[in-house]
Amino acid sequence: MNTTNTTASQSLLEMIAADERALLRIGDLARELLARHADLPLTGARLKYGSQIHLNAPTAEDVRAWAARLDAEVTEHTADPGYGPFRHTDVDTVIDGIRVHVWHCRVLSEAEAAAWRENRSRS
């Protein structure tokens, strides 16, 4: 292996090591959040590239409870991607430079969907 290839390989290995350190840091925060708030329910937890933790809560009320604990704002919106409206409840905050996203999404009932569509047509 020549010097150029060795330098390139070291640079790539350094990049991989930096990503590993970042993911370990994200994982440490995720474990800390789960331990500190073990009484708050979750149905999923994912570490995402780009310093993100995504926590899936079973209900919108659970998202609100997480928001209160994290001292963060709740956002809610309804969207229809073409196969039925969904209600999204989210919390986004940054802790130690890591984005923490707690979310819940549910399909609207037929009555809720009809009311939502009716309300949209008036706007």
Side-chain angles (χ1 to χ4, degrees), residues 11-83:
S11 177
L12 293 174
L13 293 175
E14 289 168 1
M15 292 168 68
I16 291 168
D19 281 350
E20 288 173 332
R21 286 189 300 275
L23 282 172
L24 283 172
R25 189 170 149 261
I26 296 165
D28 287 344
L29 177 59
R31 281 187 289 280
E32 180 183 330
L33 287 170
L34 295 179
R36 187 182 309 154
H37 307 293
D39 60 316
L40 296 178
L42 292 171
T43 56
R46 304 288 301 177
L47 305 181
K48 299 286 188 167
Y49 189 77
S51 297
Q52 297 182 37
I53 300 168
H54 288 219
L55 304 174
N56 181 229
T59 69
E61 292 74 27
D62 295 322
V63 173
R64 289 184 195 87
W66 275 95
R69 291 282 180 88
L70 299 176
D71 193 27
E73 295 291 320
V74 174
T75 60
E76 295 186 278
H77 72 280
T78 301
D80 187 348
Y83 47 87

Side-chain angles (χ1 to χ4, degrees), residues 102-118:
V102 184
W103 65 279
H104 172 75
C105 181
R106 71 175 182 85
V107 177
L108 296 183
S109 69
E110 287 186 31
E112 290 171 316
W116 178 76
R117 287 184 185 106
E118 177 66 25

